[in-house]
Amino acid sequence: TVIFSSNSTSWGSFTYNEEEDVLRVKVQPQGAEFAEWLGYGFEDLGANGATAYLHWEKVKVPFRVEANTPELVMANAANELRSQAGFQWQGWVTAATYALQNNVHLEQAAQWAEQAVQRQENGRTLGLQALLLFRLGRGEEAEPVMAKALESGTEAEVNLLGYAVMGAGETEKALEIFASNVRKHPESWNCYDSLGEAQAANGQTKEAIKNYAKARELAPEAQQGRIDSVLAKLRG
């Protein structure tokens, strides 16, 4: 039994008082490699939890720790936006992007995206607002916002938007965004590189090779080795 106590100052268990117990957890000890010193650690790390353990001599005592990470992050974000982060558009974008990527509290996220647009209307803020509207099923509102984002956004803003869309699992929309950036900036190696990355992720190997090859043709020397490695993997 692992016991969590509200008393953190006593030495050992000599003055243990059961009334100070906060939590008791039944566990199954495991055999382990010999450890001279008592140690604590974490393993099986994931987005919503980890396995904590006590390890001493040849015994390891694990217990699972889990939390609703998205809810905790969203609550923290709402609080942060009441402070300094709320005075800059980037704070609203960061919070809304997290909600989009984790598909939580999308109505709240759409309001945050609107706050970002009010503070700084650019390709990134408009694009994020459009994505959230699409996710909420409000396509008629989203279409003109997305069109404005692609038209007014800089190369870098549209590229970041594409990756945000891809990170949210909307690969087809990401492909459209990266392709539009290529059309607007046909001499940019980075646009071809990003389009190729999205195509590779979508299983469009032939198209990805074509765009990576174009990126390699235009890229600075510092990027050519990386692109060569990508092309070698795609070509098998």
Side-chain angles (χ1 to χ4, degrees), residues 29 42 48-50 58 88 129 145-146 169 200 212 221:
F42 296 91
N48 295 307
K58 293 184 179 181
Q88 304 294 327
Q129 184 180 36
V145 178
M146 178 61 80
Y212 269 120
E221 186 175 348

Side-chain angles (χ1 to χ4, degrees), residues 180-227:
S180 73
N181 220 16
V182 165
R183 290 192 295 271
K184 284 183 67 177
H185 306 282
E187 299 304 316
S188 170
W189 71 270
N190 193 45
C191 290
Y192 290 100
D193 186 272
S194 297
L195 177 56
E197 183 178 345
Q199 289 170 330
N202 199 42
Q204 298 172 246
T205 305
K206 183 177 179 181
E207 293 85 349
I209 290 173
K210 177 182 176 182
N211 282 294
Y212 269 120
K214 184 64 176 180
R216 172 64 171 78
E217 177 186 323
L218 299 171
E221 186 175 348
Q223 293 290 337
Q224 291 174 3
R226 177 187 62 79
I227 298 173

Side-chain angles (χ1 to χ4, degrees), residues 8-76:
S8 62
T9 58
S10 296
W11 194 90
S13 59
F14 301 104
T15 59
Y16 166 69
N17 183 348
E18 186 174 345
E19 292 181 358
E20 296 172 332
D21 289 2
V22 176
L23 176 68
R24 282 177 166 239
V25 181
K26 290 291 185 181
V27 299
Q28 181 63 52
Q30 301 172 353
E33 293 183 2
F34 179 81
E36 178 68 28
W37 297 93
L38 170 64
Y40 299 89
F42 296 91
E43 57 191 7
D44 302 326
L45 300 174
N48 295 307
T51 298
Y53 63 83
L54 175 158
H55 184 187
W56 198 7
E57 216 259 350
K58 293 184 179 181
V59 176
K60 191 174 185 180
V61 182
F63 56 93
R64 189 69 184 166
V65 180
E66 295 184 344
N68 191 332
T69 303
E71 290 297 328
L72 291 172
V73 172
M74 290 295 290
N76 183 69

Side-chain angles (χ1 to χ4, degrees), residues 111-129:
Q111 294 175 24
W112 288 349
E114 174 62 28
Q115 290 292 326
V117 170
Q118 290 180 11
R119 284 162 175 76
Q120 181 67 55
E121 186 175 298
N122 58 35
R124 190 175 178 189
T125 58
L126 288 167
L128 177 59
Q129 184 180 36

Side-chain angles (χ1 to χ4, degrees), residues 78-98:
N79 192 51
E80 288 288 324
L81 290 171
R82 297 175 63 187
S83 186
Q84 288 184 326
F87 289 94
Q88 304 294 327
W89 64 269
Q90 291 92 337
W92 299 92
V93 164
T94 300
T97 299
Y98 178 86

